[in-house]
Amino acid sequence: MVSTINAQRSRISRGLLSPILFVLLFLECSSVVNGQSHIVDSTLLVEASVNTVPAVFLLDTGAEHSALDKHFVTQIGLNSASVQTVQHPFRDELSGSVWVRDLWIQSIATKNVHLLTTDLIPQSRALGEKIDGVLGVDLLRKYWVTIDYAAGMVKLDLLPNGKLGRPVKLHSVGDQFFVPLRIQGKPMDFLLDTGTDLSVMSYSGWLQLNRNLKAPALISGIRSLGSPTPLRLMCVSDLEIESIEYKQVPMRVLTQASLGFLSFSNEKGLLGSDFLKQFMVELDLGNETMFLRPNPDYRRDNDRFSSIGIQFLKDASGPFVIMAVWTPSPAAAAGMKTGDRVVEVNGASTAKMNQNDFSQQLHGPAGQKVTLRIKSGKHERYAVLTIKNLLCQPSAKISSASHNVSRATVRP
């Protein structure tokens, strides 16, 4: 039986599921490992076992329900049963479900767990690491969760652990937890979402922000996993949580109505790991509270958006294929088009480069030159582009060194 979407708008994850993979030119391909957890591209991964089979779960406070990859379910011999509708940010999905006899997350055991099933192959490909499941709020709210992005550490405890920071009271709707914000003076509630690597403002939030205000400059042509239409990027000049101001915060934005739960008028946006990673984060979801304290190991990357303005994927034949060109950007000014293949960068063939190698060539300080050999159909040409800081200028004043905004992957 297919269930209807209820008031809580159940879902597994936001914006990471799609048959098409895009990788941004300024991709951070770093991976930090810490015992039973690690981080890849701002995404927190936790070790687990399902019926004694080792597994890796994505930590996702935006997911109401924990889930298993449907291919992993088949691999370990489980049978998916009931079907229900699950909402993502930009689309809906029919999801099955399974019962798991023994689920271990780190050293914590849970018996007879009901999990949804979904296709996590796109996430695995985007991260370059196999993801077997999603650890959602239905399980996370039972524990005290400690997150250190810099160390790649997630720890689940039954009791409070570590030093508490500034408390932030969350608003809950079912198994959704919202952070009260003020964005450029406008009050908004954003879904707390460790599964999103760059925060998103919904169409409704965009309308609220720009009512009686001058619309900020936007970069268009951004492609995101799961979104049928391109998004835009903007720089939020002021974001306030618990009377503390944060300046120059990058954010994806919907400037038209969309499918999925972000199309609802009461959904203002998602607060992702790009913002949270500057803190040591403690979550007490059972009591609707988050604690934030500045992470001494966090370092702001002032070149976060210094790029030529393309998104790309690795073609099976070797070159990188341009999947999106931002506007305005050096790439757009040079006439680069979707479908173009970059066969050489700065004199080196791209055939054996990985995503990180290619990204490093195209990302750097504003003013740096990049030479590309581009193939468009049967035609080839060279283009010399100058890297430009496209968003959230690093020269802007920051309220406090400990309150800077992070560089995080905008994984489309």
Side-chain angles (χ1 to χ4, degrees):
M1 183 178 79
V2 179
S3 67
T4 58
I5 303 169
N6 62 21
Q8 280 94 31
R9 297 184 297 284
S10 298
R11 59 187 180 280
I12 298 170
S13 61
R14 309 114 325 283
L16 296 178
L17 303 182
S18 171
I20 302 175
L21 299 177
F22 301 110
V23 182
L24 288 187
L25 60 89
F26 44 83
L27 176 67
E28 279 187 314
C29 291
S30 59
S31 177
V32 180
V33 180
N34 189 309
Q36 294 180 313
S37 61
H38 60 289
I39 186 169
V40 179
D41 298 344
S42 303
T43 300
L44 294 159
L45 303 176
V46 181
E47 292 185 10
S49 71
V50 179
N51 292 350
T52 73
V53 179
V56 174
F57 276 58
L58 184 153
L59 183 78
D60 195 348
T61 59
E64 291 184 85
H65 301 289
S66 299
L68 288 178
D69 173 58
K70 64 181 183 181
H71 309 283
F72 179 74
V73 165
T74 300
Q75 173 191 332
I76 64 175
L78 295 177
N79 295 316
S80 182
S82 62
V83 176
Q84 67 186 78
T85 300
V86 177
Q87 277 206 312
H88 301 273
F90 314 109
R91 65 184 180 86
D92 300 341
E93 177 190 33
L94 291 180
S95 172
S97 63
V98 294
W99 284 95
V100 171
R101 181 185 67 253
D102 295 294
L103 175 65
W104 284 82
I105 304 291
Q106 295 184 343
S107 59
I108 299 175
T110 308
K111 295 283 189 179
N112 299 319
V113 185
H114 184 247
L115 302 176
L116 299 184
T117 62
T118 188
D119 184 4
L120 296 176
I121 284 181
Q123 286 151 302
S124 297
R125 289 176 177 168
L127 289 177
E129 181 166 339
K130 188 172 183 291
I131 308 301
D132 303 303
V134 174
L135 183 56
V137 169
D138 55 336
L139 294 177
L140 290 174
R141 70 183 308 159
K142 300 176 182 179
Y143 309 115
W144 187 277
V145 184
T146 303
I147 301 173
D148 180 348
Y149 282 91
M153 186 274 290
V154 176
K155 184 170 174 48
L156 304 184
D157 293 284
L158 297 175
L159 297 172
N161 178 58
K163 299 178 181 178
L164 299 184
R166 177 182 290 264
V168 178
K169 191 64 179 176
L170 306 175
H171 301 159
S172 68
V173 179
D175 277 336
Q176 298 175 333
F177 291 88
F178 295 87
V179 183
L181 311 171
R182 294 186 72 87
I183 296 181
Q184 295 178 193
K186 298 285 186 177
M188 298 186 191
D189 286 351
F190 271 35
L191 181 69
L192 178 65
D193 193 356
T194 58
T196 289
D197 52 13
L198 186 69
S199 300
V200 182
M201 180 176 291
S202 71
Y203 179 62
S204 174
W206 171 254
L207 291 179
Q208 181 178 338
L209 179 66
N210 290 289
R211 194 168 290 136
N212 302 321
L213 289 175
K214 181 180 179 181
L218 297 173
I219 296 174
S220 62
I222 313 304
R223 298 307 302 263
S224 287
L225 290 179
S227 175
T229 57
L231 281 71
R232 298 186 180 188
L233 281 177
M234 73 171 182
C235 192
V236 173
S237 59
D238 297 283
L239 185 152
E240 182 182 319
I241 298 179
E242 293 293 328
S243 302
I244 298 179
E245 260 193 347
Y246 304 89
K247 301 290 188 180
Q248 300 291 296
V249 181
M251 195 170 290
R252 283 178 289 184
V253 61
L254 300 173
T255 54
Q256 58 185 11
S258 66
L259 301 174
F261 70 83
L262 284 179
S263 64
F264 295 118
S265 61
N266 61 333
E267 294 279 5
K268 303 304 181 184
L270 314 174
L271 188 68
S273 60
D274 59 307
F275 181 83
L276 296 171
K277 69 187 295 184
Q278 63 190 297
F279 303 102
M280 298 289 292
V281 181
E282 308 262 358
L283 299 177
D284 181 10
L285 298 181
N287 290 306
E288 302 182 4
T289 306
M290 171 173 65
F291 299 89
L292 301 177
R293 57 190 170 93
N295 191 328
D297 296 322
Y298 167 76
R299 297 294 180 270
R300 176 186 171 100
D301 185 350
N302 285 331
D303 295 332
R304 170 66 179 87
F305 285 93
S306 288
S307 70
I308 63 171
I310 63 171
Q311 291 171 254
F312 55 84
L313 60 77
K314 180 74 169 178
D315 187 82
S317 64
F320 286 87
V321 181
I322 297 174
M323 304 307 298
V325 178
W326 296 359
T327 304
S329 72
M336 297 176 71
K337 304 292 184 184
T338 298
D340 286 353
R341 297 172 184 271
V342 181
V343 298
E344 189 176 284
V345 56
N346 294 328
S349 170
T350 63
K352 294 185 179 181
M353 289 184 179
N354 59 31
Q355 294 169 349
N356 188 52
D357 295 334
F358 190 56
S359 174
Q360 291 298 320
Q361 295 289 328
L362 303 182
H363 171 81
Q368 180 175 304
K369 300 290 185 182
V370 178
T371 302
L372 304 176
R373 183 158 65 96
I374 302 166
K375 181 177 287 187
S376 299
K378 296 181 179 180
H379 302 284
E380 288 192 7
R381 66 185 178 94
Y382 283 89
V384 179
L385 291 78
T386 302
I387 289 176
K388 182 180 179 181
N389 194 292
L390 302 176
L391 192 74
C392 294
Q393 301 298 321
S395 59
K397 292 182 179 179
I398 305 297
S399 58
S400 169
S402 63
H403 296 151
N404 288 342
V405 182
S406 69
R407 173 192 178 191
T409 303
V410 187
R411 188 171 48 260

